Amino acid sequence: MTLANLIEKTGYSVVSEGDNSAEIKAGYTGDLLSDVMANAPSDSAFVTIQAHKNTIAVATLVGVKVIVLCNGRTAPDDMKEAAKAESVAILSTAKNQFEVSAEISELLK
């Protein structure tokens, strides 16, 4: 599924645009960034509540294509700037991590 498909099918708010043609092949949910670095697959959607610049650094290191911020979290300006520079999309939703993980998992089937 492409990033554009994910956005269209979920309706999550786009906070920072990425490469809409990027393939999303997997997902990973977590808030402990060292765990994400060790276990998140590349070309994935990263579901989290971690809304800060370091989240972008971890996403870039792993090869994550999109970060979905849950529980209505907002991205600070430095996070949005880093995301733009690294072509990592940021989406936001009021839904919790369980709901978002289930939705993305279903879409990836």
Side-chain angles (χ1 to χ4, degrees):
M1 156 176 65
T2 66
L3 175 58
N5 295 136
L6 176 69
I7 294 167
E8 178 185 335
K9 292 179 180 183
T10 61
Y12 302 152
S13 300
V14 177
V15 175
S16 182
E17 293 187 18
D19 176 4
N20 280 340
S21 65
E23 284 291 323
I24 309 299
K25 299 178 182 176
Y28 198 81
T29 302
D31 296 320
L32 185 60
L33 296 181
S34 59
D35 176 67
V36 175
M37 282 190 296
N39 297 299
S42 62
D43 300 326
S44 64
F46 171 25
V47 179
T48 188
I49 60 169
Q50 293 293 335
H52 52 78
K53 187 178 178 179
N54 290 344
T55 310
I56 302 299
V58 168
T60 303
L61 179 68
V62 175
V64 163
K65 301 300 181 190
V66 58
I67 296 169
V68 183
L69 297 177
C70 299
N71 296 345
R73 304 283 178 160
T74 58
D77 289 340
D78 64 341
M79 182 182 188
K80 289 187 252 185
E81 290 168 10
K84 184 176 180 180
E86 298 293 341
S87 295
V88 175
I90 302 174
L91 308 179
S92 179
T93 180
K95 294 178 181 181
N96 67 41
Q97 292 165 288
F98 179 81
E99 293 170 303
V100 171
S101 298
E103 287 176 350
I104 292 174
S105 177
E106 189 64 29
L107 290 172
L108 288 170
K109 288 183 179 180

